[in-house]
C-alpha cells in the first residue's frame, strides 16, 4: 500500500542517490595523489547525507522542482563542508575510525589529514558560488556565519574539557553552535535558493537550531542507553573519556554529597568501564535520563512545529519525515 510516508521515504532515497552521484562527479585532479586520494577517500565514506537533503527539500518546498535542481551545488557544498569538519574533528579527538573505516589521519598522517580538510573547506565555498538564480554574496555570508558559529562551538567544546564547572546552559549554547549551526544553515540556504521570504527563513532557522539540539542530546542518551549492535560504538564511551555531555552535567547539577562526588570522578580522566552500568542506574534514579528524553521531545517538537509553517506539499512532507528520522534513531 502506497502512503504519504512511503512516498516521502522514496523521495528522500532518490535525492540521497542524487547527492551521492553529485559527489562522485566532482572534478578533482589526479596529482598530487598524496592530496587528492585522501579527499576522494573522505567523499566516498558514505553516511546518511542528511544535511544536503535538508538543502534540497527546503529549496523545493519554497521554489518547486526547478529550485531543487538549482540548489544541488549548495547541497554538495554543505556535505563537503560537513566532511571537512569530520576530518579535523577526528584529529582533535584522536578518533581512530570514521564510519567503519580508518580515519584519514590514521590511514595517512595528521599533516595529510589537515591538508585534505583544508581543501574540502575551500571546495565547499567553490560549490556554493556555483548556485544560480540567487545572490551569491547572500549565500556566502550565510555560509560564513555558519562557519564562525561552528568553530566557536568546537572551541567551547574543547575548552569545556579543561573545566570542572560547565553548566547545562553553557552546554546547550555550545551544541547550538557546534551541532545546530550547520543544520540551521542547510535549511536556510535551501530556503534562500527556493525564494523563501524572511518569515520562511526564520522558520527554517528555528527548525535547524531546535533539531540540532534534539539530535545532540539524543546522541548523548544513545551513548549510554543504546541497545543492540546497530549503535556501532561502545556503550558509555563518553563517560569513559570524561566528555561533558547533557547527562553528566545534569547529574552533577542535581546530585548532592557523595552522589555528586561519584560523578565528579568522570571530570578527572573519565570513569572506568566497569562503572558504566552503575552510572546509568544512578542517572536513572536521579531522573536525568527521563529529563534528557523530555528535552529531546521538546526540542524536536519545536523544530517540527517550525516546519509546519512551510508551504504544504510533497517536499515539506518529506522534510518533516527526514527531520523526525534525524532524532528518532536507535533507542
Amino acid at each position: 500500500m502506497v502512503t504519504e510516508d512511503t512516498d516521502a521515504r522514496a523521495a528522500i532515497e532518490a535525492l540521497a542517490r542524487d547527492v551521492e552521484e553529485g559527489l562522485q562527479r566532482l572534478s578533482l585532479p589526479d596529482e598530487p595523489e598524496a592530496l587528492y586520494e585522501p579527499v576522494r577517500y573522505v567523499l566516498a565514506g558514505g553516511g546518511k547525507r542528511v544535511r544536503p537533503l535538508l538543502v534540497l527539500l527546503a529549496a523545493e518546498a519554497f521554489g518547486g522542482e526547478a529550485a531543487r535542481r538549482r540548489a544541488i551545488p549548495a547541497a554538495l557544498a554543505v556535505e563537503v563542508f560537513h566532511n571537512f569538519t569530520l576530518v579535523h574533528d577526528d584529529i582533535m579527538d584522536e578518533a581512530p575510525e570514521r564510519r567503519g573505516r580508518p580515519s584519514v589521519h590514521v590511514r595517512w598522517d595528521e599533516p595529510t589529514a589537515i591538508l585534505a580538510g583544508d581543501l574540502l573547506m575551500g571546495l565547499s565555498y567553490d560549490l556554493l558560488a556555483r548556485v544560480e538564480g540567487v545572490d551569491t554574496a547572500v549565500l556566502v555570508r550565510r555560509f560564513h556565519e555558519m562557519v564562525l558559529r561552528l568553530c566557536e562551538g568546537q572551541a567551547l567544546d574543547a575548552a569545556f574539557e579543561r573545566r570542572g564547572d560547565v553548566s547545562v546552559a553553557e552546554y546547550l549554547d555550545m551544541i547550538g553552535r557546534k551541532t545546530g549551526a550547520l543544520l540551521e544553515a542547510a535549511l536556510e540556504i535551501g530556503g534562500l535558493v527556493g525564494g523563501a521570504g524572511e518569515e520562511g527563513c526564520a522558520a527554517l532557522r528555528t527548525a535547524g537550531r531546535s533539531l540540532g539540539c534534539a539530535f545532540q542530546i539524543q546522541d548523548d542518551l544513545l551513548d549510554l542507553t543504546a541497545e543492540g549492535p546497530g549503535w556501532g560504538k561502545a556503550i558509555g564511551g563518553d563517560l569513559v573519556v570524561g566528555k561533558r555531555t547533557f547527562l553528566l552535567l545534569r547529574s552533577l547539577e542535581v546530585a548532592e554529597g557523595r552522589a555528586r562526588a561519584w560523578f565528579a570522578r568522570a571530570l578527572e580522566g573519565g570513569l572506568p568501564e566497569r562503572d558504566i552500568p552503575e552510572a546509568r542506574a544512578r542517572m536513572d534514579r536521579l531522573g536525568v535520563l527521563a529529563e534528557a528524553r523530555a528535552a529531546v521531545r521538546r526540542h524536536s517538537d519545536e523544530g517540527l512545529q517550525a516546519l509546519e509553517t512551510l508551504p504544504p506539499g510533497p517536499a515539506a512532507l518529506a522534510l518533516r519525515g527526514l527531520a523526525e528520522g534525524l532524532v528518532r534513531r536507535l533507542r
Side-chain angles (χ1 to χ4, degrees), residues 233-249:
K233 295 188 284 187
I235 299 299
D238 287 344
L239 285 171
V240 170
V241 299
K243 185 175 181 179
R244 278 60 167 166
T245 65
F246 182 97
L247 301 181
L248 176 58
L249 296 175

mmCIF file of all heavy atoms in Angstrom, residues 233-249:
data_model
loop_
_atom_site.group_PDB
_atom_site.id
_atom_site.type_symbol
_atom_site.label_atom_id
_atom_site.label_comp_id
_atom_site.label_asym_id
_atom_site.label_seq_id
_atom_site.Cartn_x
_atom_site.Cartn_y
_atom_site.Cartn_z
ATOM 1 N N LYS A 233 29.042 1.659 18.553
ATOM 2 C CA LYS A 233 30.088 2.171 19.433
ATOM 3 C C LYS A 233 29.930 1.550 20.809
ATOM 4 O O LYS A 233 28.868 1.049 21.162
ATOM 5 C CB LYS A 233 30.003 3.709 19.538
ATOM 6 C CG LYS A 233 30.273 4.434 18.244
ATOM 7 C CD LYS A 233 30.369 5.940 18.449
ATOM 8 C CE LYS A 233 29.015 6.556 18.648
ATOM 9 N NZ LYS A 233 29.092 8.051 18.678
ATOM 10 N N ALA A 234 31.000 1.594 21.579
ATOM 11 C CA ALA A 234 30.943 1.047 22.927
ATOM 12 C C ALA A 234 29.987 1.873 23.777
ATOM 13 O O ALA A 234 30.009 3.105 23.751
ATOM 14 C CB ALA A 234 32.334 1.046 23.558
ATOM 15 N N ILE A 235 29.139 1.196 24.546
ATOM 16 C CA ILE A 235 28.195 1.887 25.413
ATOM 17 C C ILE A 235 28.953 2.585 26.549
ATOM 18 O O ILE A 235 29.820 2.008 27.181
ATOM 19 C CB ILE A 235 27.164 0.903 25.999
ATOM 20 C CG1 ILE A 235 26.363 0.257 24.858
ATOM 21 C CG2 ILE A 235 26.240 1.594 26.978
ATOM 22 C CD1 ILE A 235 25.585 1.256 24.026
ATOM 23 N N GLY A 236 28.593 3.852 26.773
ATOM 24 C CA GLY A 236 29.225 4.603 27.852
ATOM 25 C C GLY A 236 30.555 5.212 27.494
ATOM 26 O O GLY A 236 31.284 5.682 28.378
ATOM 27 N N GLY A 237 30.879 5.251 26.216
ATOM 28 C CA GLY A 237 32.180 5.768 25.805
ATOM 29 C C GLY A 237 32.412 7.215 26.220
ATOM 30 O O GLY A 237 33.543 7.598 26.537
ATOM 31 N N ASP A 238 31.353 8.029 26.238
ATOM 32 C CA ASP A 238 31.519 9.425 26.646
ATOM 33 C C ASP A 238 31.974 9.533 28.097
ATOM 34 O O ASP A 238 32.844 10.347 28.436
ATOM 35 C CB ASP A 238 30.203 10.188 26.467
ATOM 36 C CG ASP A 238 29.869 10.456 25.013
ATOM 37 O OD1 ASP A 238 30.772 10.333 24.157
ATOM 38 O OD2 ASP A 238 28.702 10.785 24.720
ATOM 39 N N LEU A 239 31.384 8.714 28.968
ATOM 40 C CA LEU A 239 31.765 8.754 30.382
ATOM 41 C C LEU A 239 33.170 8.210 30.600
ATOM 42 O O LEU A 239 33.898 8.680 31.474
ATOM 43 C CB LEU A 239 30.764 7.956 31.217
ATOM 44 C CG LEU A 239 29.408 8.617 31.460
ATOM 45 C CD1 LEU A 239 28.448 7.631 32.115
ATOM 46 C CD2 LEU A 239 29.554 9.866 32.306
ATOM 47 N N VAL A 240 33.559 7.232 29.797
ATOM 48 C CA VAL A 240 34.893 6.639 29.943
ATOM 49 C C VAL A 240 35.976 7.685 29.668
ATOM 50 O O VAL A 240 37.029 7.683 30.316
ATOM 51 C CB VAL A 240 35.049 5.427 29.005
ATOM 52 C CG1 VAL A 240 36.492 4.953 28.955
ATOM 53 C CG2 VAL A 240 34.142 4.283 29.478
ATOM 54 N N VAL A 241 35.720 8.586 28.730
ATOM 55 C CA VAL A 241 36.718 9.614 28.412
ATOM 56 C C VAL A 241 36.440 10.936 29.137
ATOM 57 O O VAL A 241 37.151 11.921 28.944
ATOM 58 C CB VAL A 241 36.801 9.859 26.890
ATOM 59 C CG1 VAL A 241 37.217 8.592 26.172
ATOM 60 C CG2 VAL A 241 35.484 10.398 26.341
ATOM 61 N N GLY A 242 35.394 10.978 29.962
ATOM 62 C CA GLY A 242 35.093 12.185 30.717
ATOM 63 C C GLY A 242 34.503 13.306 29.901
ATOM 64 O O GLY A 242 34.640 14.481 30.263
ATOM 65 N N LYS A 243 33.839 12.979 28.810
ATOM 66 C CA LYS A 243 33.264 14.013 27.948
ATOM 67 C C LYS A 243 32.108 14.699 28.656
ATOM 68 O O LYS A 243 31.256 14.061 29.275
ATOM 69 C CB LYS A 243 32.781 13.396 26.636
ATOM 70 C CG LYS A 243 32.287 14.409 25.623
ATOM 71 C CD LYS A 243 31.938 13.726 24.303
ATOM 72 C CE LYS A 243 31.471 14.746 23.270
ATOM 73 N NZ LYS A 243 31.144 14.097 21.977
ATOM 74 N N ARG A 244 32.072 16.018 28.543
ATOM 75 C CA ARG A 244 30.987 16.794 29.141
ATOM 76 C C ARG A 244 29.754 16.679 28.245
ATOM 77 O O ARG A 244 29.725 17.249 27.150
ATOM 78 C CB ARG A 244 31.375 18.254 29.286
ATOM 79 C CG ARG A 244 32.221 18.581 30.505
ATOM 80 C CD ARG A 244 33.543 17.866 30.557
ATOM 81 N NE ARG A 244 34.446 18.427 31.566
ATOM 82 C CZ ARG A 244 35.542 17.821 31.979
ATOM 83 N NH1 ARG A 244 35.895 16.623 31.472
ATOM 84 N NH2 ARG A 244 36.296 18.390 32.892
ATOM 85 N N THR A 245 28.758 15.955 28.699
ATOM 86 C CA THR A 245 27.521 15.760 27.958
ATOM 87 C C THR A 245 26.345 16.246 28.797
ATOM 88 O O THR A 245 26.491 16.543 29.989
ATOM 89 C CB THR A 245 27.302 14.273 27.620
ATOM 90 O OG1 THR A 245 27.106 13.552 28.851
ATOM 91 C CG2 THR A 245 28.491 13.691 26.872
ATOM 92 N N PHE A 246 25.182 16.307 28.172
ATOM 93 C CA PHE A 246 23.979 16.697 28.901
ATOM 94 C C PHE A 246 23.801 15.809 30.129
ATOM 95 O O PHE A 246 23.488 16.303 31.223
ATOM 96 C CB PHE A 246 22.759 16.589 27.987
ATOM 97 C CG PHE A 246 21.463 17.017 28.627
ATOM 98 C CD1 PHE A 246 20.979 18.295 28.436
ATOM 99 C CD2 PHE A 246 20.730 16.140 29.413
ATOM 100 C CE1 PHE A 246 19.786 18.701 29.021
ATOM 101 C CE2 PHE A 246 19.534 16.535 30.016
ATOM 102 C CZ PHE A 246 19.066 17.824 29.812
ATOM 103 N N LEU A 247 23.992 14.500 29.958
ATOM 104 C CA LEU A 247 23.747 13.558 31.055
ATOM 105 C C LEU A 247 24.686 13.783 32.227
ATOM 106 O O LEU A 247 24.251 13.840 33.389
ATOM 107 C CB LEU A 247 23.892 12.117 30.546
ATOM 108 C CG LEU A 247 22.974 11.684 29.405
ATOM 109 C CD1 LEU A 247 23.236 10.230 29.056
ATOM 110 C CD2 LEU A 247 21.519 11.889 29.773
ATOM 111 N N LEU A 248 25.969 13.898 31.959
ATOM 112 C CA LEU A 248 26.935 14.079 33.040
ATOM 113 C C LEU A 248 26.751 15.429 33.721
ATOM 114 O O LEU A 248 26.736 15.516 34.960
ATOM 115 C CB LEU A 248 28.357 13.954 32.495
ATOM 116 C CG LEU A 248 29.483 14.209 33.516
ATOM 117 C CD1 LEU A 248 29.376 13.248 34.701
ATOM 118 C CD2 LEU A 248 30.847 14.100 32.851
ATOM 119 N N LEU A 249 26.593 16.484 32.933
ATOM 120 C CA LEU A 249 26.481 17.816 33.517
ATOM 121 C C LEU A 249 25.203 17.966 34.331
ATOM 122 O O LEU A 249 25.207 18.575 35.412
ATOM 123 C CB LEU A 249 26.532 18.876 32.412
ATOM 124 C CG LEU A 249 27.848 18.934 31.633
ATOM 125 C CD1 LEU A 249 27.744 19.939 30.495
ATOM 126 C CD2 LEU A 249 29.017 19.280 32.548
#
